[in-house]
Amino acid sequence: MNAALLVMRKELKEFFRDKRVRTNAVVMPAVVMLLMLSFMGFISGIGEKENQVIHVVKTDNKLIERLKADKVKIVDVANEEEGVKLIKSGKARLVLEFEPDFDAKVAQGKPTPIQAFYDPQQDTGKMALRAAQDDLEKLDEDQALAVLNAHHIDKDALAPARIVNREIRVGKTGVSDFLISMLPYLVVLYAFYGGLGPASETVAGEKEKQTLETLLITPVDRNQIALGKFFALTAICFCSSLSALMGIVIASLSRAPIYAKLFPNGLGLSGIQIGTMVLVLIPAVAFFGSLLLAISAFAKNTREAQSSMGLVSLVVLIPALFGNVIGLTDLGANWWVRLVPVLNTSMTLRESLQGKSDGLGIVLTIATGVVLAAIGIRIAVHLFRREEVLTRV
């Protein structure tokens, strides 16, 4: 094992000496995660009322007061013609024109149409219109309630049957819904994709450079060489997934306004949740490391290794994507799902974030990862013990 650790240290030194590996496996996951979170934080606030601007043919009424109370920016225009020109020039999203005595007509229950001018091909106009419609519905509700009270009619008489929500939360967690939906998927993906670059170089690249022969003729047993390369690849995969996680941690701890809606309660992860995630992730990255090593040992050159890994990445991508939506089905309740590689890891990570404890699911997920990693290591060791590993298996 000491020999394997020496090989591992050698491989890691070579990996981290390569600027591309340092960038793609360690730095980029965190940077990409921060950029992705910034983008999602930006678009999450686009539809908020405080970000809407509505032009109004100059007047004042209860609806405008309600819009202003919701922090919608109201801009006056002189008349309808000026408002239409602003829309055509792209300087206005939505222009509202009210009838005279709008409040009085609403109070009397008379039909009171509001003219709304906007470009149907412009999404900002549609969002501004939805903001106005939302406040108008609230105004209508207030008016309906006033009419019912004037006639001594209970408002419940209009809708005697209604659903009373009784939420039963399984597990306690302060993690945001965004984090629960995205983190398992992204961490699993980066655990695999972070090792693609180093994996294509660790064996296939050495074949091209003709340096593999030098390593194989050393006194170190080939089993130990294969194990050392496996440990190094697994470490890179693990670092890549941790880098993605660090991007999320940095975003949550920064308390920047752009991340506020994504992390209303901060990161919200407990020590038990983090420990469970790491415990589940270790056999997954071990499986990825063994799989990538076997492919690299089998390939004749770097290009062939990269092509094969690209095809295999679909086997990782599809279950990871499905793990992000399996909660919409009843499949997650079946024990056999825990035996599906990648999908089981994504599901278990998601449940951990939700504060749910499923001992059987965790055990099956870990056991599946360990078995697959052992099979992958066995294949890689077998390939290394054959002389054809220098050229083609």
Side-chain angles (χ1 to χ4, degrees):
M1 184 58 71
N2 289 336
L5 294 177
L6 287 174
V7 175
M8 172 186 174
R9 186 170 65 178
K10 164 196 168 293
E11 293 294 327
L12 287 176
K13 283 183 178 180
E14 291 182 2
F15 287 159
F16 286 107
R17 194 178 291 124
D18 190 336
K19 184 178 179 180
R20 293 172 300 174
V21 174
R22 296 198 304 269
T23 301
N24 296 334
V26 180
V27 178
M28 286 306 295
V31 173
V32 170
M33 189 66 68
L34 284 170
L35 292 175
M36 185 182 300
L37 292 174
S38 299
F39 173 73
M40 299 201 66
F42 173 75
I43 63 174
S44 66
I46 290 179
E48 299 295 328
K49 288 185 179 180
E50 57 265 27
N51 295 320
Q52 303 305 319
V53 179
I54 297 178
H55 288 66
V56 176
V57 177
K58 195 169 183 179
T59 186
D60 193 19
N61 54 53
K62 290 183 178 180
L63 178 58
I64 294 176
E65 291 175 2
R66 190 180 290 270
L67 289 168
K68 289 180 178 178
D70 286 338
K71 299 181 180 180
V72 175
K73 184 177 181 181
I74 301 297
V75 180
D76 291 333
V77 295
N79 50 51
E80 173 189 324
E81 290 74 16
E82 180 182 340
V84 171
K85 287 181 181 179
L86 290 174
I87 291 176
K88 289 182 177 179
S89 64
K91 297 179 180 179
R93 304 178 180 181
L94 174 70
V95 176
L96 299 180
E97 184 179 21
F98 296 85
E99 290 192 353
D101 302 324
F102 175 81
D103 286 342
K105 291 182 178 179
V106 169
Q108 296 171 10
K110 295 181 178 179
T112 313
I114 303 170
Q115 304 300 321
F117 302 91
Y118 68 100
D119 183 355
Q121 296 180 327
Q122 189 69 27
D123 290 333
T124 53
K126 296 177 182 178
M127 287 187 288
L129 180 60
R130 282 197 294 270
Q133 289 173 333
D134 181 52
D135 276 356
L136 182 59
E137 288 176 2
K138 295 177 181 177
L139 185 65
D140 288 341
E141 289 175 4
D142 292 343
Q143 176 61 23
L145 183 59
V147 172
L148 293 174
N149 290 336
H151 292 80
H152 305 289
I153 300 174
D154 188 349
K155 64 176 182 178
D156 291 335
L158 296 179
R162 66 183 186 278
I163 294 176
V164 180
N165 296 330
R166 294 287 188 265
E167 294 184 352
I168 301 176
R169 291 193 174 270
V170 181
K172 295 181 180 179
T173 179
V175 183
S176 68
D177 292 338
F178 167 79
L179 200 59
I180 290 173
S181 64
M182 294 298 295
L183 183 57
Y185 163 67
L186 293 172
V187 167
V188 170
L189 280 188
Y190 275 116
F192 179 79
Y193 284 97
L196 286 182
S200 63
E201 294 290 338
T202 189
V203 183
E206 289 190 358
K207 292 180 185 180
E208 284 187 321
K209 299 172 185 175
Q210 297 183 344
T211 58
L212 186 59
E213 295 95 329
T214 305
L215 181 60
L216 294 180
I217 63 175
T218 60
V220 181
D221 186 78
R222 293 194 180 189
N223 291 1
Q224 300 296 313
I225 293 175
L227 286 175
K229 289 180 176 290
F230 159 72
F231 289 142
L233 272 178
T234 300
I236 290 293
C237 291
F238 192 64
C239 286
S240 183
S241 61
L242 287 184
S243 177
L245 180 58
M246 283 305 301
I248 294 176
V249 172
I250 293 171
S252 66
L253 295 180
S254 69
R255 300 190 181 278
I258 197 169
Y259 302 130
K261 294 184 182 298
L262 301 180
F263 304 98
N265 302 317
L267 188 61
L269 286 174
S270 67
I272 294 178
Q273 288 173 300
I274 294 175
T276 303
M277 291 173 63
V278 172
L279 188 64
V280 170
L281 199 56
I282 289 175
V285 296
F287 166 53
F288 292 155
S290 65
L291 178 63
L292 292 173
L293 179 62
I295 294 173
S296 186
F298 182 82
K300 186 176 182 180
N301 50 48
T302 304
R303 180 177 297 178
E304 184 177 327
Q306 291 173 342
S307 299
S308 300
M309 291 174 189
L311 293 175
V312 173
S313 68
L314 294 177
V315 180
V316 176
L317 179 62
I318 293 173
L321 283 171
F322 190 63
N324 203 36
V325 297
I326 196 171
L328 302 176
T329 71
D330 295 327
L331 288 177
N334 298 316
W335 66 269
W336 57 264
V337 176
R338 305 293 179 165
L339 303 179
V340 180
V342 183
L343 175 60
N344 54 9
T345 302
S346 182
M347 282 183 56
T348 305
L349 290 175
R350 183 186 182 93
E351 289 176 350
S352 177
L353 291 172
Q354 292 173 328
K356 299 177 181 179
S357 59
D358 184 357
L360 178 61
I362 293 174
V363 170
L364 289 176
T365 299
I366 293 175
T368 302
V370 169
V371 170
L372 290 174
I375 294 173
I377 295 171
R378 183 69 185 86
I379 294 173
V381 168
H382 173 71
L383 295 176
F384 265 86
R385 295 192 67 84
R386 301 181 62 182
E387 291 304 319
E388 293 89 339
V389 74
L390 293 171
T391 55
R392 155 70 77 186
V393 176

